[in-house]
Structure formats: structure tokens, C-alpha cells
Amino acid sequence: MQPLVRNALILAVAAVAGLAGYLVQRASSPAHPAPAQVAREAGAPILALNLPDSNGQPQALSQWQGKVLVVNFWATWCPPCLREIPEFAAVSRRFADAPVQFVGIGIDQPDNVHRFAEDNKVPYPLLSAPLQTLAVTSALGNTSQALPFTAIFDRHGELDFVKLGTLNEAELEGRIRALLASR
């Protein structure tokens, strides 16, 4: 048998065996949750956070259920985060009368978050959190636990979008408008 034909035959048998194994495993495993349920479960740890705001008052993210929720993880020591916040603030102001809530989670010392909030007049709550809080973003693809990281939830608390790295004003506004338009 020629090497090319033999290699193609081996590859075909391996692909069929792999597919068969996958189908057997899938058929024998419990029912798979619907994508919406997976999205809700993946984002649940973020929605369960209860962190102090820039004035030291505890704030539960669950208080904003029923709104499009934009959660931005950032830090005062993160240059890309600091470039992104003015755009988030501008979009937040445009949606001030809509069922939209922005929340910034500063992975920083509470004093630094408080000072930043006072100096920059950010129009949405800035909460402070220890570095370990970033672990909740790992399940959403942020395995390096880097900043900035943004998660957007629909009005039903389902995770709609995540982004590691900066999110520009146009994309942010477009995603919010799409969620407000969907019922």
C-alpha cells in the first residue's frame, strides 16, 4: 500500500473512532444544559459578588437585576483600564435614563478606588476588590486573570458578552442597544 493512501486510511479510521467515542460519551452523560443555562451559571459568580463601594458601603451586584449590567474589572495601576474608563463613563451617561447599570470593580486598595472615584467623577459605582476576586472571571475565559475585563449581562441575568482587553465606546454602545432592543 502506498504511504499516502495508508496515512489517509489511518486518519479516516482515527476520525471515525473519535467521533464514535464522543457520541457514546454524549449519549451516556446526563442531559446537557441549554446554552442560556450555561451562560447564567458561568456569570453567576459575578452576580453574587458583594463588595464595598468607594465610600466603603457594601453593594451586591444582584441589586441591579432587571437591568442590562455592564461589569468592568479594572485597576488604578492598569494603563489600558484608565484609557477605557472615560469611554465607559460617556456611554453610561448616554444610557442614564435606560434600564442599564455600569459597575466598575477596582482590583485595588479601597483608598485608591476612593481617590480615583473622587478625582474622576465616574458616573457609576466603583467597587473595590482584592486580587483574588479576579478568579470569578476564569470560568469566562480570563484564565490569565488579566485586566481590563468586561462582562455584560442581559436583563434576565444571563451573560451575553465578555471581553478581555479594552472595549471601545462604539462596540460597548452597540452591545447595550442590542440587549435593550431584545425582549
Side-chain angles (χ1 to χ4, degrees), residues 17-105:
L19 179 61
Y22 169 77
L23 293 174
V24 167
Q25 179 186 4
R26 184 172 170 95
S28 64
S29 67
H32 296 284
Q37 183 180 355
V38 171
R40 183 182 304 271
E41 290 170 4
I46 292 176
L47 297 177
L49 290 173
N50 189 338
L51 300 165
D53 63 19
S54 59
N55 294 315
Q57 299 302 309
Q59 300 293 329
L61 269 67
S62 62
Q63 72 182 296
W64 293 297
Q65 269 187 314
K67 294 184 176 188
V68 171
L69 181 61
V70 178
V71 182
N72 178 246
F73 291 82
W74 66 284
T76 60
W77 45 263
C78 167
C81 301
L82 300 179
R83 285 192 302 273
E84 179 180 64
I85 289 176
E87 292 188 30
F88 276 55
V91 174
S92 173
R93 286 183 186 99
R94 283 197 287 277
F95 287 101
D97 295 328
V100 176
Q101 180 65 52
F102 281 70
V103 177
I105 298 180

Side-chain angles (χ1 to χ4, degrees), residues 1 5 11 31 49 55 60 74 93 97-98 102 113 118 125 127-128 135 139 156 161 164 168 171 175:
M1 188 180 299
V5 173
L11 195 60
L49 290 173
N55 294 315
W74 66 284
R93 286 183 186 99
D97 295 328
F102 281 70
V113 173
E118 284 188 343
L127 312 181
S128 59
H156 305 290
F161 175 78
L164 175 58
N168 71 48
E171 184 178 10
R175 293 208 172 267

Side-chain angles (χ1 to χ4, degrees), residues 99-115:
V100 176
Q101 180 65 52
F102 281 70
V103 177
I105 298 180
I107 306 299
D108 215 322
Q109 297 297 318
D111 290 345
N112 293 343
V113 173
H114 177 76
R115 194 173 315 109

